[in-house]
Amino acid sequence: MKKVILFLVLSLITTGVFAQKNKAEVLYFKAQLPCCQATACNSLEQEVKLIIEKNFTKGEISFKQVALGDAGNKALVDKYSAKSQTVVIVNTKKKTNNSVDVSDIVRRYARTDDKAVFEKELVAKIKESLS
């Protein structure tokens, strides 16, 4: 009986741990820019984070800021040919073709300032990358 209970407890713990694993990660590449540009960059970063928090459950999608100037991020920067305000969605469950660069959506939003369209397009791309 003790073995059965132990097995059930371990099964529940293991299932809970794997259920919390992110399905995708949104990488926001950011440079250390002068004040006026940094304000716009910070604003865009915040918008992306808010859209993720609003439209996806906690643990489904993670958000990660990647500093371009940090030597520890060189492999990521090179892999995605990232520049400031590059945004990449990485499906952590897929083995191949697991990333989508959505920087064009971010740049369009920076020009138009249309939050509704930005949110709709970004959410659609994230959902598409999950399938």
Side-chain angles (χ1 to χ4, degrees):
M1 183 66 169
K2 288 182 182 178
K3 288 182 182 179
V4 172
I5 292 172
L6 180 61
F7 176 76
L8 288 173
V9 169
L10 288 174
S11 295
L12 290 173
I13 291 172
T14 304
T15 304
V17 169
F18 289 121
Q20 293 298 321
K21 197 152 189 163
N22 296 322
K23 294 178 183 176
E25 182 174 50
V26 176
L27 305 175
Y28 184 87
F29 292 88
K30 184 174 180 180
Q32 299 301 329
L33 299 170
C35 182
C36 62
Q37 289 179 334
T39 302
C41 193
N42 290 340
S43 177
L44 281 170
E45 175 184 6
Q46 196 60 29
E47 288 294 329
V48 172
K49 284 170 67 172
L50 289 172
I51 289 170
I52 292 168
E53 291 169 1
K54 177 181 171 187
N55 292 281
F56 298 95
T57 60
K58 188 171 183 167
E60 185 177 14
I61 308 293
S62 67
F63 178 87
K64 179 180 179 186
Q65 179 197 98
V66 181
L68 291 170
D70 186 347
N73 295 330
K74 185 172 179 4
L76 276 177
V77 172
D78 290 346
K79 180 177 181 177
Y80 298 112
S81 301
K83 298 173 180 68
S84 187
Q85 298 176 351
T86 296
V87 180
V88 177
I89 303 165
V90 181
N91 183 320
T92 57
K93 303 292 183 181
K94 288 184 181 178
K95 299 289 184 204
T96 59
N97 271 344
N98 68 336
S99 65
V100 178
D101 187 332
V102 293
S103 301
D104 57 329
I105 295 170
V106 174
R107 282 190 292 277
R108 193 168 37 255
Y109 170 63
R111 285 191 312 269
T112 65
D113 202 32
D114 189 337
K115 289 183 184 182
V117 171
F118 177 54
E119 181 172 348
K120 181 181 175 184
E121 290 179 343
L122 186 59
V123 168
K125 282 292 188 179
I126 292 172
K127 287 181 177 179
E128 180 183 314
S129 76
L130 292 174
S131 56

